[in-house]
Amino acid sequence: MKKTRFSKFIVTFIIIANCLFTAAVLFVFWRTNVEPTALIAAWFAFTTGELFALAGLRHSENKNKNMDDE
């Protein structure tokens, strides 16, 4: 139960962080008319990688749980 709450917290945090990052990038673009493409790509690659890692951990935990039940 505690792991489920932690993973939901991480997913919620990443969604909020992505929204804040997007707002900050839009503000910077509005002020400077320069789009930080490398920063945008790196940020979303990092957050997507974190979500895939979390999903992989949950998948392997569920797989191991199912094997133990059999």
Side-chain angles (χ1 to χ4, degrees):
M1 184 70 170
K2 192 172 185 175
K3 288 183 181 181
T4 303
R5 276 191 272 150
F6 180 73
S7 64
K8 287 183 180 182
F9 169 75
I10 294 296
V11 170
T12 304
F13 175 75
I14 289 176
I15 290 170
I16 292 169
N18 281 344
C19 291
L20 292 173
F21 177 79
T22 302
V25 166
L26 287 173
F27 178 75
V28 167
F29 182 70
W30 177 65
R31 297 285 294 193
T32 64
N33 289 332
V34 177
E35 181 183 9
T37 54
L39 179 62
I40 293 169
W43 175 263
F44 285 106
F46 169 72
T47 57
T48 302
E50 290 296 315
L51 289 175
F52 273 123
L54 183 62
L57 287 173
R58 292 197 39 112
H59 177 71
S60 66
E61 286 175 358
N62 289 340
K63 188 176 180 181
N64 289 340
K65 183 180 174 187
N66 289 340
M67 291 184 123
D68 290 341
D69 290 345
E70 293 175 354

